[in-house]
Amino acid sequence: MNIICLVKFVPDITGFGYDYEASSMVRNHTRMVLNPDDVCALSFAFKVKERHPDSQIQVVSMGPTTVVPHMHDLLRIPVDKGTLISDPLFAGSDTYATSEVLGSYLKTQSFDCILSGSRSLDGATSQVPPQIAEILSLDHMLDISEIDVEKISPTEAVFSVEGERETTTWSMQLPGVLSLGRSSTCKLPYPSYADLQRDVSDKLTILTNKELGLDPSHVGLEGSLTKVVNTYDANSRRRAKTVVETNEEGIEFVFSYLKDRGFV
Amino acid sequence: MNNEKIIEQLKTMLEPTQINTNSEDLYDASADRYKKYAKARNVLDVPAPLAIVYPYTPEQVRDLLVFCNTNLINVIPRAGKTATEGGLENWKEQTLVIDALHLDSIINIDTYNMQATVQAGVPLQVLEDALRKEGFTTGHSPQSKPVAKLGGLVATRSIGQFSTLYGAIEDMVVGLECVFPDGHISKIKNVPRRSGGPDIRHIAIGNEGTLCYITEVTVKMFKIYPENNKFYGYLIKDVDTGIKILREVMANGFRPSVARTYSEEDAAQHFYHFHKNKCVLLFMAEGPKGIVKATGEAIEQAVEKFKDGIIEQVDSKHIENWFNNLNWSQQDIDDEFEGMKEHDSHSGFTTEISADWSTITKIYYNVMKRVKEEYPRFHDLTMLGGHSSHSYINGTNMYFVYNYDIHCAPEDEMRVYHHPMQRIIVEETLRLGGSMCHHHGIGKFRNEWTKQEHGSAYYMLEKLKEAFDPNGIMNFGTIFPQEEGKKYQ
Ligand SMILES: Cc1cc2nc3c(=O)[nH]c(=O)nc-3n(C[C@H](O)[C@H](O)[C@H](O)COP(=O)(O)OP(=O)(O)OC[C@H]3O[C@@H](n4cnc5c(N)ncnc54)[C@H](O)[C@@H]3O)c2cc1C
């Protein structure tokens, strides 16, 4: 199988604080990590490769060149080929402009299947994968919980989508775009110690607009149809603080708090 | 002698219950917390020892050491198993772990002469609890207090959180008993002081099981006045300010029991409820009322002198609460180990160094700069910071702390992540004249720098090894570099 994985490196929000007074995120420990949903997409690509060793995996990402060490890490796992689309012209692209850029590159590639995550940690709009499918005139499915690795072939994929009430099983003709949801069980393979030192720069292509040749007014801030008005951390709402003692009462309080929210 | 024969011989010296050859326990005994992630993932690359033995008396320790010395069997002395630097890791095919489990008696608590004598396998917490009942303390409070035992604490030159007042373990040990590989049992008597030649306590203190087996220790006791404790906390602009204030308090002749400065990053993980992304300075004053009052005033004066670097004072209750929950129990250690089976990350790895006042911040900033510029896995670091937590009249320590996500095979973690980081810290420290190991000992993973640490004085250390352990059976690879062990580093 010939698989393309669309991946994005996102700020690691676990290192963020939230400044309630200024209502803004404190990003002083910012570092980039592979978007968790994309880990699941790539991890599935490796499962396919394990079964069909002649499969090829290409990882495609759009972002700043600071993510090059992360792309190199993926190439050491090893992903067969990496493509980083990076140009200051593209900075500030909204999901529409991003899809235009990625789509223009993907049109030049041959593949059986495009895998992606369903949503990114930093934007969570889920708009890029369906827009890309549209540009490429392919079918698309979002929030896939599992793709059947035994049944996938260059012409068909069978997968499950978890809804609120039930899990449905689907099949789709390939080529198509399949977007996986996050699961804590997804893991990427480890590079070997020797591979960690290996120079993989020849497997990474960095493309700018010089190669893609898009009209500058269709990309970046200028080409964006939407603008970000405000960003907030979805998890950081100010809550009343309750301090409990480490006694029976305190333990009971914490236990029922967790129980009410379905954690235990 | 082959392995079966060794076990057979042990059976003639000990009861069957004193010999443990259970494979899980042997796997556990083959490494300490240095390689805890690889251990949790069942991928340790070192050989397991042949057996763990549990002597009841110093004489049994003697017989075991003589047996190993005669048959060239490596010995790893073991106490509370909280070693962090590879002191308990095994690098030899034929190794006996001599565990102090049954050397567990509190021999004497002498409240008039203010000293307590215990065997090497007594957990510090047990001794501390016994002393507290009488209104005393050992003054020794490492975070591992609930688990670490006196033999290990003395063998590693450990230090506690209240060291700035009470001193480190070497200031507390008045006498001890130890057994050498040739079977000689030495007892250093308990006197307030003497000038009988070099202080031979220091041959045993800090030997990390490489020269002798410590069987008994006598430590000082101190009166405790918990009702007088006072806590002080401040948010400060930078590490420099914190170090200057620590110095001011110490140089003026005061000894708070706790005196610490945290970088922003480290403060954020310790003081999540008040750090506001700033550095933190904190103190604790304890002792008789008058001393606490004088120490408190000295702290306030020092803070006033450097007020340009102070952002705000923190509610002292926060500092007190934090201290009361700082120690690690066996349960915490076990939970961390279980967590490592699932999570590809490592939190709270540390390298602790020391230097004089004018050098310590240079080391700190140099390390931060070099890590950012040179560390190949910088993009996997989730936290890098440090704190100074033990101060002296002429300088202080720096405890570098780092967390990272692991993107390599579990067996490679140390050499991919921790060791390159430790190398930068150690190189910068040695280059600027500091000590690369403030309180965890050298273990097996800083031994490549032992010679550099001691410089021309390494001669003295080497001679001690030659004299007391001529066959090299004591804790192979610890402190003293060994070519043969490099494959495990
Ligand atoms: C959570 C945690 C917190 C810690 N906090 C601190 C701290 O605040 N301060 C600090 O100084 N350290 C700290 N440490 C490190 C560790 O607790 C100390 O090094 C401690 O002194 C080790 O004691 P132990 O009884 O566990 O010895 P072990 O781990 O059993 O052994 C340590 C070393 O001593 C040798 N040894 C053990 N017993 C004997 C003996 N009877 N005779 C000769 N050699 C012997 C061993 O061979 C080994 O090299 C911490 C460790 C952990 C896990």
Side-chain angles (χ1 to χ4, degrees):
Chain A
M1 293 252 324
N2 201 346
I3 301 173
I4 290 184
C5 275
L6 299 179
V7 302
K8 182 178 181 188
F9 296 93
V10 293
D12 178 10
I13 52 161
T14 54
F16 283 9
Y18 195 73
D19 184 339
Y20 293 105
E21 279 152 36
S23 281
S24 66
M25 281 194 261
V26 181
R27 298 191 181 212
N28 52 351
H29 307 299
T30 310
R31 75 188 188 99
M32 305 299 265
V33 291
L34 185 57
N35 183 47
D37 288 25
D38 305 354
V39 170
C40 289
L42 191 52
S43 134
F44 176 72
F46 275 103
K47 274 192 202 154
V48 175
K49 197 168 165 95
E50 212 178 291
R51 272 182 174 263
H52 309 284
D54 55 338
S55 298
Q56 288 290 307
I57 306 174
Q58 179 187 177
V59 158
V60 177
S61 187
M62 179 169 150
T65 48
T66 48
V67 305
V68 166
H70 294 276
M71 287 295 276
H72 282 170
D73 276 353
L74 298 183
L75 292 165
R76 291 184 180 113
I77 297 177
V79 160
D80 300 290
K81 182 178 173 199
T83 303
L84 176 64
I85 302 177
S86 188
D87 193 313
L89 259 186
F90 303 152
S93 294
D94 69 354
T95 62
Y96 173 77
T98 301
S99 308
E100 285 287 320
V101 175
L102 285 167
S104 79
Y105 170 69
L106 294 168
K107 273 185 194 162
T108 67
Q109 300 295 297
S110 68
F111 52 83
D112 300 315
C113 171
I114 294 180
L115 296 174
S116 78
S118 289
R119 47 186 62 73
S120 64
L121 262 191
D122 59 343
T125 63
S126 299
Q127 289 166 354
V128 171
Q131 284 172 172
I132 285 176
E134 186 68 20
I135 291 167
L136 300 173
S137 306
L138 295 176
D139 286 340
H140 171 247
M141 182 57 89
L142 199 73
D143 283 332
I144 295 173
S145 51
E146 200 178 347
I147 306 175
D148 191 333
V149 71
E150 285 178 22
K151 294 195 179 139
I152 193 162
S153 74
T155 52
E156 191 191 21
V158 178
F159 49 85
S160 327
V161 176
E162 239 167 78
E164 275 192 8
R165 283 155 196 259
E166 73 273 291
T167 303
T168 46
T169 303
W170 301 69
S171 90
M172 185 196 276
Q173 274 190 353
L174 294 184
V177 182
L178 303 174
S179 300
L180 283 104
R182 189 189 323 182
S183 150
S184 59
T185 55
C186 296
K187 292 236 158 137
L188 292 178
Y190 301 119
S192 70
Y193 184 67
D195 276 347
L196 272 172
Q197 329 287 333
R198 203 155 55 88
D199 180 10
V200 286
S201 44
D202 61 325
K203 295 210 291 177
L204 177 66
T205 310
I206 301 179
L207 296 177
T208 63
N209 200 38
K210 216 166 115 203
E211 291 81 25
L212 294 182
L214 290 155
D215 179 343
S217 67
H218 287 178
V219 294
L221 273 179
E222 209 186 332
S224 293
L225 305 180
T226 57
K227 298 270 178 286
V228 176
V229 179
N230 186 18
T231 321
Y232 63 93
D233 177 356
N235 298 315
S236 300
R237 274 189 291 133
R238 191 200 279 271
R239 290 187 192 270
K241 189 163 98 181
T242 312
V243 177
V244 294
E245 304 273 308
T246 37
N247 53 21
E248 281 305 314
E249 214 173 294
I251 293 168
E252 184 50 40
F253 180 88
V254 174
F255 182 72
S256 36
Y257 180 91
L258 295 174
K259 198 163 175 219
D260 289 349
R261 284 155 185 80
F263 289 114
V264 288
Chain B
M1 191 181 278
N2 69 27
N3 296 352
E4 288 75 38
K5 198 105 192 142
I6 292 172
I7 303 290
E8 249 173 58
Q9 287 291 310
L10 288 175
K11 286 180 183 162
T12 66
M13 299 160 69
L14 303 169
E15 297 293 318
T17 53
Q18 290 178 272
I19 306 167
N20 183 353
T21 53
N22 173 291
S23 59
E24 267 181 38
D25 294 339
L26 295 181
Y27 176 77
D28 176 57
S30 50
D32 58 28
R33 293 176 55 81
Y34 190 84
K35 286 190 185 160
K36 60 186 172 202
Y37 180 66
K39 193 192 229 185
R41 300 294 180 102
N42 270 317
V43 292
L44 279 177
D45 55 352
V46 290
L50 294 182
I52 307 163
V53 290
Y54 308 99
Y56 279 104
T57 60
E59 289 70 30
Q60 282 190 336
V61 174
R62 175 194 62 202
D63 296 347
L64 287 164
L65 287 184
V66 169
F67 168 69
C68 290
N69 199 30
T70 314
N71 296 291
L72 301 181
I73 299 162
N74 183 43
V75 169
I76 299 182
R78 191 170 88 169
K81 295 204 309 175
T82 62
T84 55
E85 306 299 319
L88 296 178
E89 187 167 310
N90 177 35
W91 285 357
K92 282 282 193 184
E93 293 299 330
Q94 288 191 329
T95 293
L96 266 199
V97 172
I98 305 185
D99 191 298
L101 182 71
H102 298 313
L103 297 169
D104 59 350
S105 308
I106 296 183
I107 297 168
N108 187 22
I109 293 178
D110 181 347
T111 54
Y112 190 74
N113 292 310
M114 303 290 281
Q115 56 193 21
T117 302
V118 296
Q119 286 190 301
V122 172
L124 177 56
Q125 187 75 60
V126 171
L127 175 61
E128 183 68 22
D129 291 348
L131 294 187
R132 287 294 175 111
K133 279 193 201 135
E134 318 254 347
F136 296 94
T137 175
T138 57
H140 202 45
S141 187
Q143 261 187 291
S144 52
K145 178 166 71 179
V147 190
K149 299 179 177 177
L150 266 300
L153 290 159
V154 173
T156 51
R157 287 180 76 87
S158 61
I159 200 164
Q161 295 156 98
F162 309 121
S163 71
T164 311
L165 173 62
Y166 295 105
I169 195 78
E170 69 273 17
D171 304 308
M172 299 166 172
V173 174
V174 288
L176 56 82
E177 178 187 77
C178 59
V179 189
F180 289 91
D182 64 2
H184 183 83
I185 302 181
S186 287
K187 190 144 191 164
I188 303 175
K189 67 184 173 190
N190 307 322
V191 288
R193 188 181 187 271
R194 72 171 119 204
S195 66
D199 192 339
I200 48 178
R201 285 173 299 184
H202 292 283
I203 291 172
I205 300 174
N207 89 82
E208 296 187 48
T210 64
L211 303 175
C212 61
Y213 194 101
I214 299 163
T215 46
E216 186 188 297
V217 183
T218 300
V219 288
K220 294 174 188 168
M221 297 159 41
F222 302 87
K223 264 197 170 172
I224 186 131
Y225 306 86
E227 66 284 2
N228 296 343
N229 291 352
K230 281 197 83 172
F231 300 87
Y232 301 82
Y234 305 87
L235 300 186
I236 54 173
K237 277 194 183 140
D238 49 27
V239 172
D240 261 325
T241 303
I243 297 287
K244 280 187 189 135
I245 297 175
L246 294 181
R247 185 197 165 276
E248 182 73 11
V249 173
M250 296 303 293
N252 286 342
F254 294 91
R255 298 184 70 164
S257 55
V258 178
R260 295 183 171 210
T261 290
Y262 284 79
S263 75
E264 307 76 327
E265 303 84 356
D266 203 9
Q269 61 168 10
H270 279 278
F271 312 111
Y272 64 93
H273 45 318
F274 65 78
H275 67 84
K276 298 188 178 170
N277 293 303
K278 304 291 180 228
C279 296
V280 167
L281 168 73
L282 58 89
F283 291 98
M284 171 176 172
E286 64 171 283
K289 255 198 182 113
I291 291 184
V292 171
K293 185 166 177 285
T295 310
E297 283 166 10
I299 291 167
E300 280 162 355
Q301 276 165 21
V303 166
E304 177 61 23
K305 180 168 172 185
F306 293 96
K307 62 174 185 279
D308 289 351
I310 303 284
I311 297 166
E312 64 183 60
Q313 186 158 10
V314 174
D315 183 352
S316 63
K317 267 265 162 271
H318 284 325
I319 311 294
E320 185 174 1
N321 285 344
W322 177 70
F323 257 110
N324 292 339
N325 295 299
L326 206 52
N327 287 344
W328 278 55
S329 64
Q330 188 61 50
Q331 187 63 48
D332 294 325
I333 292 176
D334 294 346
D335 289 349
E336 186 199 36
F337 189 74
E338 282 306 307
M340 288 197 141
K341 290 182 180 167
E342 266 184 40
H343 304 298
D344 294 332
S345 61
H346 202 146
S347 293
F349 225 112
T350 59
T351 297
E352 20 64 63
I353 59 104
S354 72
D356 61 28
W357 292 114
S358 42
T359 313
I360 199 79
T361 37
K362 284 185 202 150
I363 297 175
Y364 178 75
Y365 291 120
N366 284 1
V367 166
M368 293 295 147
K369 184 165 176 286
R370 272 191 65 186
V371 170
K372 278 176 195 139
E373 287 171 4
E374 296 173 25
Y375 184 60
R377 306 304 303 179
F378 185 71
H379 54 290
D380 288 334
L381 279 184
T382 50
M383 202 289 284
L384 167 66
H387 61 263
S388 154
S389 43
H390 305 276
S391 283
Y392 311 86
I393 193 84
N394 63 332
T396 188
N397 81 312
M398 182 53 69
Y399 206 68
F400 289 95
V401 187
Y402 30 97
N403 305 340
Y404 45 79
D405 286 342
I406 300 170
H407 292 288
C408 69
E411 58 272 33
D412 295 328
E413 181 222 349
M414 288 288 116
R415 48 189 177 151
V416 172
Y417 289 97
H418 170 64
H419 207 60
M421 181 73 96
Q422 187 166 56
R423 176 174 298 283
I424 292 175
I425 297 168
V426 169
E427 280 176 3
E428 278 311 301
T429 304
L430 292 176
R431 197 173 65 76
L432 292 171
S435 168
M436 65 163 177
C437 40
H438 175 261
H439 65 264
H440 283 164
I442 290 177
K444 292 191 174 66
F445 294 89
R446 280 188 273 194
N447 69 8
E448 64 175 286
W449 299 288
T450 307
K451 288 182 187 165
Q452 236 181 306
E453 165 74 19
H454 291 284
S456 57
Y458 182 69
Y459 169 81
M460 298 162 77
L461 203 62
E462 211 174 18
K463 290 288 169 203
L464 287 178
K465 183 75 176 167
E466 281 168 28
F468 292 117
D469 182 25
N471 293 340
I473 61 144
M474 296 297 286
N475 211 345
F476 179 81
T478 294
I479 299 182
F480 301 91
Q482 296 290 349
E483 201 51 43
E484 194 191 321
K486 279 192 176 157
K487 59 178 181 284
Y488 301 123
Q489 281 179 317

